[in-house]
Amino acid sequence: MNGAQALIRTLAGAGVDVCFSNPGTSEMQIVAALDAVPQMHGVLCLFEGVVTGAADGFGRMAGRPAAGLLHLGPGLANGLANLHNARRARTPLLMVVGDHATYHKRYDAPLESDIDALAGTVSVWTRRSLRSEDVAADAAEGVCAAMTPPGGVATLILPADVSWTEAGSASPSLPVRSPSPVPGDVVRSVATLLGRDEPCAILVGGAATRRPGLEAASRVAQATGARLLCEGSPARLERGAGLPAIERLPYLAEFAIEKLKGARHLILAGARAPVSFFAYPGVPSSIAPSDAEVHVLAAPGDDVCEALASLADLVAPDVKPLLAEPARPDLPSGSEALSGTIASAVLGALLPEGAIISDEANTAGVWAPGATAGAPPHDWLTLTGGAIGQGLPVATGAAVASPGRRVIALEADGSAMYTLSSLWTQAREGLDVTNVIFNNGSYAILGMELGRVGAQAPESPESPESPGAPGSSGSAGSSGGWGSAARSLLDLTRPDLDFVSLAGGLGVPAGRARTAGEFAALLRRSLAEPGPFLIEAMVPPFQ
Ligand SMILES: Cc1ncc(C[n+]2csc(CCOP(=O)(O)OP(=O)(O)O)c2C)c(N)n1
Ligand SMILES: [Mg+2]
């Protein structure tokens, strides 16, 4: 057994049986080893951002790591943005990055680069195996590091000669420690706090955004009157009828600040203290009221669900959680023009039980959580690190992890283009993913941000309608008022993106919807047919 085989056998033995891959010459031994270890399923992705995003989506749903195979520093660099999102999601995953042979590095061949530095920006654990006989033990340690609560990205760098040299045997998997118990006096002090007559808010995050944590948190809120909120970008939120309804902190700082206004105490249950996504002139960076005390019930990596359950037993022994009633919006009239609002109502009316939503719809998706709050139970995966290009890869990986469940990617057009080749992997693997692409012809949110950051409009702005001016379609959200040079950087027309054609070229059947009726028909069709589908939803910005 060579180093590569020892690696793959060790991973498969530890339950890591999917490897999203984009290999090169230095990883050929690992590619060859897949034939020797049939338990490992290699999934080809055509760009590294798809490898890393798919591994994130897989880990969020499976609760165990997928492996990702990347080609030296440049391959890792291409995958970094979605590893950044995975780091924010605290998803367990193991990246295997091939490198030049140990003796070849000093020649500074073209692909030579500082892989360790790149890995360090996102990884909880990085190891370079320097001897073949160490590979198996290093791989076992990497899997353990990825799974150690709260979870994270582990990166194993594997020189080519270490892969091809005789290695001995695979390593058994290592035991993973449990989340740290929260001391009883911490729980009791939070209980005391909640008993005082002062306004409290509880912010749940991390592992508490699944049913057990949400139910316990809801009991506490019911019994004490504390406000209950969820972190703004949860990795995986379980929601729908029969689950506690919980509002996420809004993206816009002004609205988020409003949600916590008046709270004297902010209790963190698996979430970090909330901050504004960006700084804006005159807007505070911290979301909690300046005079509020922040209390940590459970930090990420602590056993937050157990802490919430103990807290509920203290302050709410006979209180039941408040569960969302089944409720769906009426299907909008078929002839109504499509918009984000209308598409959300259709989604709410038709969402199947057990669906997994990968939400990167940005401005068009603002209404989707509200419209689906009483739909049958489902999971909601959000853009945890703000680096766009996550939605389609995460949907792809979530589908690999969850056979039998329909994955619905709610995806904005600009974000879709970063990692569109996810569609090809969905087609190759026959994954049940419905890709809804909201084509609003713009980077709409940036049109709004242009005004919010106080960017200066020119003295006498060109009219958005001035004929022939670049970017004059007026589609870039609220960016009218700025000149054509600024607007053209936020405008996705000239030429228009044609997602139906793009999907066809990547092997995914597709249809375009301009009305509620067309959208509902395509959604129904996709939900009824196995395999991937793409719906190009033509929507105006901000509607
Ligand atoms: C990796 C990365 N690059 C760039 C950005 C900046 N950015 C934020 S939103 C956005 C455009 C979003 O447009 P789209 O996905 O079409 O959504 P819309 O605003 O139209 O709803 C960009 C480029 C980012 N967040 N992440
Ligand atoms: Mg857009």
Side-chain angles (χ1 to χ4, degrees):
M1 180 184 312
N2 64 20
Q5 288 173 356
L7 167 76
I8 299 296
R9 284 189 201 283
T10 300
L11 294 182
V16 181
D17 53 8
V18 175
C19 185
F20 298 99
S21 309
N22 190 270
T25 306
S26 40
E27 296 78 43
M28 284 299 120
Q29 302 291 336
I30 301 171
V31 170
L34 291 179
D35 278 323
V37 189
Q39 301 92 306
M40 178 66 84
H41 176 45
V43 177
L44 179 59
C45 304
L46 304 185
F47 175 67
E48 291 87 347
V50 180
V51 170
T52 54
D56 183 9
F58 182 98
R60 290 194 204 186
M61 291 311 301
R64 61 190 166 85
L69 181 60
L70 300 174
H71 185 50
L72 300 103
L76 176 57
N78 274 348
L80 273 186
N82 276 336
L83 286 178
H84 159 86
N85 289 323
R87 179 177 85 88
R88 288 293 183 197
R90 301 192 178 87
T91 305
L93 56 86
L94 180 77
M95 284 296 130
V96 177
V97 184
D99 194 7
H100 286 310
T102 47
Y103 59 83
H104 192 62
K105 284 188 79 65
R106 70 187 180 86
Y107 293 99
D108 195 25
L111 275 160
E112 176 62 29
S113 69
D114 191 345
I115 301 176
D116 303 72
L118 292 167
T121 64
V122 291
S123 306
V124 292
W125 179 98
T126 305
R127 174 75 48 83
R128 175 184 293 275
S129 293
L130 288 175
R131 302 183 313 169
S132 312
E133 54 268 40
D134 294 337
V135 174
D138 288 344
E141 211 181 294
V143 173
C144 182
M147 294 191 72
T148 297
V153 176
T155 303
L156 180 64
I157 304 168
L158 212 54
D161 54 336
V162 173
S163 279
W164 73 52
T165 303
E166 195 55 31
S169 58
S171 275
S173 49
L174 297 175
V176 178
R177 73 162 175 81
S178 308
S180 312
V182 172
D185 53 353
V186 172
V187 177
R188 282 189 293 276
S189 74
V190 172
T192 308
L193 201 71
L194 288 162
R196 285 198 227 150
D197 201 14
E198 294 178 338
C200 293
I202 303 170
L203 187 66
V204 302
T209 60
R210 312 272 300 275
R211 184 187 284 275
L214 294 173
E215 287 191 348
S218 172
R219 288 172 58 204
V220 173
Q222 287 296 104
T224 64
R227 239 174 286 173
L228 185 57
L229 286 157
C230 176
E231 62 187 351
S233 307
R236 177 181 177 184
L237 176 62
E238 288 185 357
R239 63 196 300 276
L243 280 138
I246 187 163
E247 204 183 334
R248 282 158 49 193
L249 268 188
Y251 163 76
L252 293 178
E254 296 88 325
F255 295 133
I257 287 169
E258 200 56 37
K259 294 283 172 203
L260 288 176
K261 202 169 166 181
R264 270 295 290 127
H265 301 280
L266 174 61
I267 297 159
L268 301 175
R272 299 195 320 157
V275 296
S276 173
F277 226 87
F278 294 103
Y280 301 97
V283 180
S285 292
S286 180
I287 297 295
S290 54
D291 59 347
E293 283 176 27
V294 179
H295 311 265
V296 179
L297 171 68
D302 291 343
D303 194 342
V304 60
C305 294
E306 186 55 38
L308 281 167
S310 307
L311 182 62
D313 289 344
L314 283 178
V315 302
D318 305 315
V319 178
K320 298 246 176 303
L322 181 64
L323 305 179
E325 295 291 333
R328 288 184 185 268
D330 292 333
L331 208 53
S333 128
S335 59
E336 247 186 288
L338 200 57
S339 63
T341 334
I342 296 291
S344 297
V346 173
L347 183 72
L350 301 180
L351 192 75
E353 179 161 358
I356 300 163
I357 306 281
S358 172
D359 179 5
E360 194 175 43
N362 302 345
T363 57
V366 172
W367 302 272
T372 52
H378 55 274
D379 284 286
W380 205 278
L381 316 182
T382 77
L383 179 58
T384 45
I388 60 174
Q390 174 199 271
L392 299 181
V394 160
T396 305
V400 172
S402 316
R405 294 181 67 175
R406 173 57 55 171
V407 178
I408 300 177
L410 301 178
E411 184 67 24
D413 50 357
S415 300
M417 289 306 296
Y418 285 64
T419 40
L420 196 69
S421 67
S422 305
L423 297 177
W424 182 89
T425 300
Q426 292 175 13
R428 154 79 73 97
E429 298 292 318
L431 301 175
D432 295 337
V433 184
T434 305
N435 302 279
V436 178
I437 312 287
F438 290 100
N439 187 340
N440 62 12
S442 79
Y443 284 167
I445 194 166
L446 297 185
M448 176 190 73
E449 296 285 26
L450 195 57
R452 280 165 47 78
V453 296
Q456 297 293 313
E459 293 284 300
S460 47
E462 292 170 38
S463 154
E465 275 75 47
S466 60
S472 65
S473 70
S475 60
S478 54
S479 63
W482 275 268
S484 58
R487 277 184 285 119
S488 79
L489 291 198
L490 312 181
D491 169 28
L492 301 182
T493 65
R494 300 176 298 111
D496 291 333
L497 288 161
D498 174 352
F499 284 94
V500 173
S501 299
L502 288 165
L506 292 162
V508 170
R512 182 172 293 121
R514 296 180 186 279
T515 63
E518 288 167 1
F519 184 66
L522 289 171
L523 187 56
R524 280 201 170 102
R525 172 180 158 193
S526 167
L527 296 178
E529 280 175 10
F533 193 78
L534 183 142
I535 305 174
E536 181 170 26
M538 308 304 292
V539 297
F542 290 109
Q543 283 180 43

